[in-house]
Amino acid sequence: MTEELRRRVRDFLAAHPFTPRCDSWAGSYDLDFSRELGKAGLLAVSWPERLGGGGGTAVDRLVVTEELLRAGAPLAAHWVGERQIGPTLLRHGSPELQEEFCPPLARAECTFALGMSEPDAGSDLASLRTSAVRDGDGWRITGRKIWTSGAHRASHLYVLARTSREADRHDGLTEFVVALDSPGITVTPILDLRGEHHFNEVVLDEVAVPGRWAIGRVGEGWRQVVGQLAFERGGPERFLSTYPLLSAVLAAGLVDDTARRGLRALAARLQILRAWVLETAQVLDAGGSPVVPAATSKYLGHEFELSVIDWARPLMPRATPAVRALYDQALAASPASGIRGGAAPVMLSMIARDN
Ligand SMILES: Cc1cc2nc3c(=O)[nH]c(=O)nc-3n(C[C@H](O)[C@H](O)[C@H](O)COP(=O)(O)OP(=O)(O)OC[C@H]3O[C@@H](n4cnc5c(N)ncnc54)[C@H](O)[C@@H]3O)c2cc1C
């Protein structure tokens, strides 16, 4: 299955031209490309067939995503929905919620943004203030989410909100699906340092959400979201964002003797990271929540990506504009890669506590 899948992805990429980009899972958005991937059966390969998936495993998904990321293909449109919302629904959602959202997610007809962080709740997510109160059979959600990547393009928002005040603030949180075209939602752009628009602030003012759109058990959101972070942090995007730069430098013949020595070390570290995420995927397939292994690959992946940029820097004076553009993309994304999905020092303290 694995080699056949790899070949299918390569054939797909050859038949669907695009401009390779570094950080393409976060920064390269092409909804048509995502939908073509869905039609080719290359999204949601690990989900059950009855819910629009491929009936494969997390290891199969790893193979597909590795190929797509290495090529620098535009993946941002479907990434959040396919990487973590679908799997969260499969683990915790009611059968009704799974049937409503998984098939359109697998076709990239429904796309998600992540509404976790708030102005005073990032690393310390449990201090979030967004609240959901009962309203008949449904809920009304009020609050302010920030750094919400892609909310200006997505159809739906995942929201973590407080549904009750408990002695332990990790209790009383609940996960929701919210339609981004609901009355009461305001999405305001936040431009990044380059003036590009990926982030948003999303204000929710008594937004009505049907009761069936609560994910899993009301008040159990913290336990669920901790498991979800394994999907968010444990994949190959944490170290392959700069791979298009690495491969373009090689293809352009820019590697001198010094760079060749550095390349050997990078190749070895890449193999270690690949083995690590393979093991993480195997734990997911066994029904586990590899939260700490995922934090480890996120931390080490970021360090690896910084090393790729450092390795490529001295070669840039001889680079073509196309290779230089990949370097600029990698460099511009590098400060954020240590923060998004969890800041590097926080990953380190999670790993240390586990030991
Ligand atoms: C490119 C990018 C995309 C993002 N996309 C999204 C998104 O789509 N949805 C979403 O919900 N969020 C998103 N975020 C937000 C991201 O999850 C938060 O920025 C991150 O969790 C850190 O939270 P914070 O910004 O509030 O920083 P803080 O939590 O205030 O932390 C600031 C710094 O303090 C240090 N620190 C904090 N706590 C500790 C600790 N316990 N131990 C050691 N050091 C600590 C860290 O160095 C950290 O960098 C995105 C962020 C970036 C950069």
mmCIF file of all heavy atoms in Angstrom, residues 22-53:
data_model
loop_
_atom_site.group_PDB
_atom_site.id
_atom_site.type_symbol
_atom_site.label_atom_id
_atom_site.label_comp_id
_atom_site.label_asym_id
_atom_site.label_seq_id
_atom_site.Cartn_x
_atom_site.Cartn_y
_atom_site.Cartn_z
ATOM 1 N N CYS A 22 8.116 27.054 0.229
ATOM 2 C CA CYS A 22 8.404 26.610 1.587
ATOM 3 C C CYS A 22 7.189 26.926 2.451
ATOM 4 O O CYS A 22 6.438 27.860 2.157
ATOM 5 C CB CYS A 22 9.636 27.331 2.125
ATOM 6 S SG CYS A 22 11.170 26.694 1.438
ATOM 7 N N ASP A 23 6.995 26.158 3.511
ATOM 8 C CA ASP A 23 5.908 26.404 4.451
ATOM 9 C C ASP A 23 4.545 26.333 3.760
ATOM 10 O O ASP A 23 3.606 27.046 4.125
ATOM 11 C CB ASP A 23 6.097 27.796 5.076
ATOM 12 C CG ASP A 23 5.442 27.887 6.444
ATOM 13 O OD1 ASP A 23 5.514 26.910 7.195
ATOM 14 O OD2 ASP A 23 4.860 28.943 6.758
ATOM 15 N N SER A 24 4.438 25.438 2.771
ATOM 16 C CA SER A 24 3.243 25.456 1.917
ATOM 17 C C SER A 24 1.993 24.987 2.645
ATOM 18 O O SER A 24 0.890 25.327 2.261
ATOM 19 C CB SER A 24 3.480 24.584 0.682
ATOM 20 O OG SER A 24 3.517 23.215 1.056
ATOM 21 N N TRP A 25 2.136 24.217 3.716
ATOM 22 C CA TRP A 25 0.947 23.747 4.435
ATOM 23 C C TRP A 25 0.275 24.895 5.183
ATOM 24 O O TRP A 25 -0.916 24.860 5.448
ATOM 25 C CB TRP A 25 1.309 22.622 5.411
ATOM 26 C CG TRP A 25 2.309 23.001 6.457
ATOM 27 C CD1 TRP A 25 3.667 23.024 6.315
ATOM 28 C CD2 TRP A 25 2.045 23.422 7.796
ATOM 29 N NE1 TRP A 25 4.257 23.433 7.493
ATOM 30 C CE2 TRP A 25 3.282 23.680 8.416
ATOM 31 C CE3 TRP A 25 0.872 23.593 8.541
ATOM 32 C CZ2 TRP A 25 3.394 24.102 9.739
ATOM 33 C CZ3 TRP A 25 0.992 24.014 9.860
ATOM 34 C CH2 TRP A 25 2.230 24.271 10.443
ATOM 35 N N ALA A 26 1.075 25.941 5.505
ATOM 36 C CA ALA A 26 0.493 27.080 6.211
ATOM 37 C C ALA A 26 0.295 28.267 5.279
ATOM 38 O O ALA A 26 -0.667 29.022 5.431
ATOM 39 C CB ALA A 26 1.396 27.481 7.374
ATOM 40 N N GLY A 27 1.194 28.417 4.288
ATOM 41 C CA GLY A 27 1.216 29.671 3.549
ATOM 42 C C GLY A 27 0.820 29.587 2.089
ATOM 43 O O GLY A 27 0.838 30.602 1.396
ATOM 44 N N SER A 28 0.451 28.410 1.590
ATOM 45 C CA SER A 28 0.128 28.320 0.164
ATOM 46 C C SER A 28 -1.291 27.749 0.012
ATOM 47 O O SER A 28 -1.520 26.565 0.230
ATOM 48 C CB SER A 28 1.164 27.427 -0.528
ATOM 49 O OG SER A 28 1.040 27.514 -1.904
ATOM 50 N N TYR A 29 -2.205 28.638 -0.350
ATOM 51 C CA TYR A 29 -3.628 28.309 -0.324
ATOM 52 C C TYR A 29 -4.158 28.166 -1.745
ATOM 53 O O TYR A 29 -4.059 29.095 -2.550
ATOM 54 C CB TYR A 29 -4.372 29.438 0.404
ATOM 55 C CG TYR A 29 -5.858 29.228 0.557
ATOM 56 C CD1 TYR A 29 -6.384 28.781 1.755
ATOM 57 C CD2 TYR A 29 -6.733 29.497 -0.493
ATOM 58 C CE1 TYR A 29 -7.749 28.591 1.912
ATOM 59 C CE2 TYR A 29 -8.096 29.296 -0.349
ATOM 60 C CZ TYR A 29 -8.595 28.859 0.856
ATOM 61 O OH TYR A 29 -9.940 28.666 0.997
ATOM 62 N N ASP A 30 -4.724 27.009 -2.068
ATOM 63 C CA ASP A 30 -5.342 26.802 -3.384
ATOM 64 C C ASP A 30 -6.464 25.784 -3.196
ATOM 65 O O ASP A 30 -6.229 24.567 -3.200
ATOM 66 C CB ASP A 30 -4.271 26.303 -4.371
ATOM 67 C CG ASP A 30 -4.819 26.131 -5.786
ATOM 68 O OD1 ASP A 30 -6.061 26.045 -5.943
ATOM 69 O OD2 ASP A 30 -4.008 26.070 -6.725
ATOM 70 N N LEU A 31 -7.667 26.309 -3.047
ATOM 71 C CA LEU A 31 -8.806 25.433 -2.743
ATOM 72 C C LEU A 31 -9.053 24.426 -3.873
ATOM 73 O O LEU A 31 -9.390 23.267 -3.611
ATOM 74 C CB LEU A 31 -10.063 26.290 -2.492
ATOM 75 C CG LEU A 31 -11.295 25.559 -1.983
ATOM 76 C CD1 LEU A 31 -11.024 24.797 -0.686
ATOM 77 C CD2 LEU A 31 -12.447 26.542 -1.770
ATOM 78 N N ASP A 32 -8.856 24.854 -5.119
ATOM 79 C CA ASP A 32 -9.070 23.919 -6.242
ATOM 80 C C ASP A 32 -8.086 22.750 -6.163
ATOM 81 O O ASP A 32 -8.453 21.598 -6.403
ATOM 82 C CB ASP A 32 -8.886 24.634 -7.595
ATOM 83 C CG ASP A 32 -10.008 25.635 -7.841
ATOM 84 O OD1 ASP A 32 -11.084 25.460 -7.237
ATOM 85 O OD2 ASP A 32 -9.786 26.593 -8.605
ATOM 86 N N PHE A 33 -6.840 23.060 -5.822
ATOM 87 C CA PHE A 33 -5.823 22.003 -5.693
ATOM 88 C C PHE A 33 -6.245 21.016 -4.599
ATOM 89 O O PHE A 33 -6.188 19.797 -4.781
ATOM 90 C CB PHE A 33 -4.465 22.637 -5.359
ATOM 91 C CG PHE A 33 -3.313 21.669 -5.400
ATOM 92 C CD1 PHE A 33 -2.583 21.492 -6.568
ATOM 93 C CD2 PHE A 33 -2.949 20.945 -4.276
ATOM 94 C CE1 PHE A 33 -1.504 20.606 -6.610
ATOM 95 C CE2 PHE A 33 -1.887 20.049 -4.306
ATOM 96 C CZ PHE A 33 -1.157 19.886 -5.480
ATOM 97 N N SER A 34 -6.688 21.562 -3.462
ATOM 98 C CA SER A 34 -7.138 20.689 -2.361
ATOM 99 C C SER A 34 -8.301 19.815 -2.813
ATOM 100 O O SER A 34 -8.366 18.624 -2.486
ATOM 101 C CB SER A 34 -7.560 21.532 -1.152
ATOM 102 O OG SER A 34 -6.433 22.165 -0.581
ATOM 103 N N ARG A 35 -9.224 20.397 -3.563
ATOM 104 C CA ARG A 35 -10.384 19.603 -4.023
ATOM 105 C C ARG A 35 -9.972 18.528 -5.016
ATOM 106 O O ARG A 35 -10.534 17.431 -5.028
ATOM 107 C CB ARG A 35 -11.448 20.540 -4.601
ATOM 108 C CG ARG A 35 -12.102 21.336 -3.481
ATOM 109 C CD ARG A 35 -13.238 22.201 -3.918
ATOM 110 N NE ARG A 35 -13.864 22.772 -2.718
ATOM 111 C CZ ARG A 35 -14.666 23.812 -2.706
ATOM 112 N NH1 ARG A 35 -14.992 24.414 -3.833
ATOM 113 N NH2 ARG A 35 -15.181 24.247 -1.579
ATOM 114 N N GLU A 36 -8.978 18.840 -5.843
ATOM 115 C CA GLU A 36 -8.465 17.814 -6.765
ATOM 116 C C GLU A 36 -7.820 16.660 -5.979
ATOM 117 O O GLU A 36 -7.989 15.491 -6.326
ATOM 118 C CB GLU A 36 -7.437 18.417 -7.734
ATOM 119 C CG GLU A 36 -8.038 19.332 -8.799
ATOM 120 C CD GLU A 36 -9.049 18.621 -9.692
ATOM 121 O OE1 GLU A 36 -8.766 17.494 -10.134
ATOM 122 O OE2 GLU A 36 -10.144 19.184 -9.930
ATOM 123 N N LEU A 37 -7.098 17.032 -4.903
ATOM 124 C CA LEU A 37 -6.522 15.984 -4.041
ATOM 125 C C LEU A 37 -7.641 15.107 -3.482
ATOM 126 O O LEU A 37 -7.524 13.876 -3.418
ATOM 127 C CB LEU A 37 -5.768 16.614 -2.871
ATOM 128 C CG LEU A 37 -4.317 17.032 -3.094
ATOM 129 C CD1 LEU A 37 -3.816 17.839 -1.904
ATOM 130 C CD2 LEU A 37 -3.419 15.807 -3.284
ATOM 131 N N GLY A 38 -8.725 15.761 -3.057
ATOM 132 C CA GLY A 38 -9.865 15.017 -2.524
ATOM 133 C C GLY A 38 -10.450 14.071 -3.565
ATOM 134 O O GLY A 38 -10.709 12.893 -3.291
ATOM 135 N N LYS A 39 -10.622 14.577 -4.788
ATOM 136 C CA LYS A 39 -11.192 13.738 -5.870
ATOM 137 C C LYS A 39 -10.295 12.549 -6.158
ATOM 138 O O LYS A 39 -10.760 11.473 -6.510
ATOM 139 C CB LYS A 39 -11.342 14.577 -7.151
ATOM 140 C CG LYS A 39 -12.603 15.390 -7.193
ATOM 141 C CD LYS A 39 -12.747 16.023 -8.591
ATOM 142 C CE LYS A 39 -13.500 17.331 -8.446
ATOM 143 N NZ LYS A 39 -13.126 18.338 -9.436
ATOM 144 N N ALA A 40 -8.981 12.761 -6.027
ATOM 145 C CA ALA A 40 -8.021 11.676 -6.309
ATOM 146 C C ALA A 40 -7.899 10.711 -5.133
ATOM 147 O O ALA A 40 -7.094 9.775 -5.178
ATOM 148 C CB ALA A 40 -6.655 12.285 -6.637
ATOM 149 N N GLY A 41 -8.662 10.948 -4.076
ATOM 150 C CA GLY A 41 -8.610 10.054 -2.913
ATOM 151 C C GLY A 41 -7.353 10.230 -2.083
ATOM 152 O O GLY A 41 -6.936 9.321 -1.365
ATOM 153 N N LEU A 42 -6.741 11.425 -2.152
ATOM 154 C CA LEU A 42 -5.489 11.650 -1.418
ATOM 155 C C LEU A 42 -5.671 12.537 -0.191
ATOM 156 O O LEU A 42 -4.709 12.931 0.448
ATOM 157 C CB LEU A 42 -4.431 12.239 -2.361
ATOM 158 C CG LEU A 42 -3.988 11.264 -3.461
ATOM 159 C CD1 LEU A 42 -3.072 11.952 -4.473
ATOM 160 C CD2 LEU A 42 -3.306 10.027 -2.879
ATOM 161 N N LEU A 43 -6.919 12.848 0.135
ATOM 162 C CA LEU A 43 -7.201 13.473 1.426
ATOM 163 C C LEU A 43 -7.876 12.425 2.303
ATOM 164 O O LEU A 43 -8.576 11.546 1.799
ATOM 165 C CB LEU A 43 -8.156 14.668 1.264
ATOM 166 C CG LEU A 43 -7.643 15.888 0.507
ATOM 167 C CD1 LEU A 43 -8.675 17.020 0.584
ATOM 168 C CD2 LEU A 43 -6.310 16.355 1.061
ATOM 169 N N ALA A 44 -7.688 12.559 3.605
ATOM 170 C CA ALA A 44 -8.391 11.692 4.562
ATOM 171 C C ALA A 44 -8.155 10.209 4.287
ATOM 172 O O ALA A 44 -9.056 9.388 4.482
ATOM 173 C CB ALA A 44 -9.896 12.004 4.523
ATOM 174 N N VAL A 45 -6.957 9.870 3.859
ATOM 175 C CA VAL A 45 -6.695 8.468 3.500
ATOM 176 C C VAL A 45 -6.844 7.531 4.709
ATOM 177 O O VAL A 45 -7.096 6.339 4.544
ATOM 178 C CB VAL A 45 -5.300 8.259 2.863
ATOM 179 C CG1 VAL A 45 -5.208 8.899 1.500
ATOM 180 C CG2 VAL A 45 -4.184 8.742 3.754
ATOM 181 N N SER A 46 -6.713 8.086 5.921
ATOM 182 C CA SER A 46 -6.772 7.226 7.116
ATOM 183 C C SER A 46 -8.184 7.140 7.711
ATOM 184 O O SER A 46 -8.382 6.443 8.695
ATOM 185 C CB SER A 46 -5.814 7.763 8.189
ATOM 186 O OG SER A 46 -6.184 9.079 8.542
ATOM 187 N N TRP A 47 -9.159 7.837 7.114
ATOM 188 C CA TRP A 47 -10.508 7.807 7.681
ATOM 189 C C TRP A 47 -11.294 6.639 7.092
ATOM 190 O O TRP A 47 -11.001 6.173 5.993
ATOM 191 C CB TRP A 47 -11.262 9.110 7.377
ATOM 192 C CG TRP A 47 -10.569 10.365 7.805
ATOM 193 C CD1 TRP A 47 -9.356 10.481 8.431
ATOM 194 C CD2 TRP A 47 -11.040 11.693 7.596
ATOM 195 N NE1 TRP A 47 -9.070 11.810 8.634
ATOM 196 C CE2 TRP A 47 -10.061 12.569 8.142
ATOM 197 C CE3 TRP A 47 -12.182 12.244 7.007
ATOM 198 C CZ2 TRP A 47 -10.220 13.964 8.116
ATOM 199 C CZ3 TRP A 47 -12.339 13.614 6.985
ATOM 200 C CH2 TRP A 47 -11.373 14.458 7.533
ATOM 201 N N PRO A 48 -12.362 6.218 7.800
ATOM 202 C CA PRO A 48 -13.168 5.115 7.259
ATOM 203 C C PRO A 48 -13.812 5.465 5.910
ATOM 204 O O PRO A 48 -14.188 6.622 5.692
ATOM 205 C CB PRO A 48 -14.256 4.925 8.319
ATOM 206 C CG PRO A 48 -13.806 5.653 9.524
ATOM 207 C CD PRO A 48 -12.839 6.694 9.097
ATOM 208 N N GLU A 49 -13.939 4.468 5.074
ATOM 209 C CA GLU A 49 -14.506 4.719 3.739
ATOM 210 C C GLU A 49 -15.944 5.213 3.829
ATOM 211 O O GLU A 49 -16.379 6.069 3.058
ATOM 212 C CB GLU A 49 -14.433 3.441 2.904
ATOM 213 C CG GLU A 49 -13.004 3.127 2.499
ATOM 214 C CD GLU A 49 -12.891 1.842 1.694
ATOM 215 O OE1 GLU A 49 -13.870 1.466 1.024
ATOM 216 O OE2 GLU A 49 -11.815 1.213 1.767
ATOM 217 N N ARG A 50 -16.698 4.702 4.833
ATOM 218 C CA ARG A 50 -18.112 5.120 4.925
ATOM 219 C C ARG A 50 -18.230 6.612 5.249
ATOM 220 O O ARG A 50 -19.282 7.212 5.067
ATOM 221 C CB ARG A 50 -18.856 4.274 5.963
ATOM 222 C CG ARG A 50 -18.431 4.545 7.357
ATOM 223 C CD ARG A 50 -19.054 3.648 8.410
ATOM 224 N NE ARG A 50 -18.283 3.766 9.616
ATOM 225 C CZ ARG A 50 -18.369 4.771 10.476
ATOM 226 N NH1 ARG A 50 -19.258 5.711 10.290
ATOM 227 N NH2 ARG A 50 -17.600 4.842 11.537
ATOM 228 N N LEU A 51 -17.141 7.247 5.716
ATOM 229 C CA LEU A 51 -17.167 8.682 6.020
ATOM 230 C C LEU A 51 -16.338 9.472 5.002
ATOM 231 O O LEU A 51 -15.851 10.563 5.278
ATOM 232 C CB LEU A 51 -16.658 8.936 7.442
ATOM 233 C CG LEU A 51 -17.576 8.399 8.544
ATOM 234 C CD1 LEU A 51 -16.905 8.454 9.909
ATOM 235 C CD2 LEU A 51 -18.903 9.171 8.589
ATOM 236 N N GLY A 52 -16.172 8.899 3.827
ATOM 237 C CA GLY A 52 -15.496 9.613 2.738
ATOM 238 C C GLY A 52 -13.998 9.442 2.720
ATOM 239 O O GLY A 52 -13.306 10.055 1.901
ATOM 240 N N GLY A 53 -13.450 8.636 3.640
ATOM 241 C CA GLY A 53 -11.998 8.461 3.706
ATOM 242 C C GLY A 53 -11.514 7.309 2.846
ATOM 243 O O GLY A 53 -12.284 6.677 2.113
#
